[in-house]
Amino acid sequence: MATKIFVNIPVKDLDKSKNFFTSLGYSFNLQFTDDKAACLVISEDIFFMLLTEPFFKSFTNQEIADTSKVNEAIMCLSVDSKAAVDALVDKAVKAGAKAPKPAEDQGFMYSRGFRDLDGHLWEIVYMDPSAVDAVEPQ
């Protein structure tokens, strides 16, 4: 069985967050979704648990990061093409996200990012498989 990852992130308004990610083409696992949390399905092994801030706070005694001032993490997802990078980020911006910087094209890798409704930073990347295969292990 493959290792699965469940990344927990706090959200201010669960319904707005669910609508935002649904507009990007993602779905939710309803078995792990209620009025305090929603299980965002990225792939068969990658999930983001969108937790209401009060519920998120029940798992930690630390403050929730103020994403208008600090980055708590960068969630980086790969896609199959440069066009897919642009399509996903364009959908996110149309749905209310902010694009923090212009696209970066390094030849072998193309990336763009967005800040979601709660300010979490998402980076969407395409890496040319032939360029990745050409990199020597260190």
Side-chain angles (χ1 to χ4, degrees):
M1 180 172 152
T3 298
K4 298 183 184 303
I5 183 169
F6 293 83
V7 179
N8 296 277
I9 59 175
V11 298
K12 291 179 184 2
D13 186 316
L14 187 57
D15 288 332
K16 284 184 181 178
S17 292
K18 287 167 51 179
N19 289 336
F20 173 79
F21 285 104
T22 299
S23 75
L24 301 186
Y26 293 111
S27 63
F28 289 87
N29 180 330
L30 299 181
Q31 184 179 5
F32 301 108
T33 298
D34 59 22
D35 62 334
K36 297 182 290 190
C39 181
L40 172 63
V41 178
I42 301 294
S43 73
E44 72 179 53
D45 295 318
I46 303 170
F47 308 88
F48 279 79
M49 295 300 301
L50 309 180
L51 308 179
T52 62
E53 287 186 346
F55 189 48
F56 185 90
K57 286 180 181 180
S58 73
F59 293 97
T60 181
N61 55 10
Q62 293 180 295
E63 292 298 314
I64 293 174
D66 179 349
T67 57
S68 70
K69 297 178 182 175
V70 299
N71 285 319
E72 83 279 40
I74 300 172
M75 281 63 82
C76 185
L77 302 175
S78 64
V79 294
D80 294 331
S81 68
K82 289 181 181 182
V85 170
D86 289 333
L88 184 56
V89 174
D90 289 345
K91 281 183 196 175
V93 170
K94 184 177 179 184
K98 305 290 185 230
K101 61 182 185 171
E104 288 187 41
D105 193 341
Q106 299 175 355
F108 70 96
M109 182 172 71
Y110 178 76
S111 65
R112 285 179 66 194
F114 65 88
R115 290 192 174 281
D116 68 19
L117 303 180
D118 291 283
H120 303 294
L121 184 56
W122 297 78
E123 191 78 12
I124 311 302
V125 302
Y126 166 72
M127 292 215 298
D128 179 351
S130 63
V132 173
D133 292 341
V135 175
E136 294 287 325
Q138 296 194 16

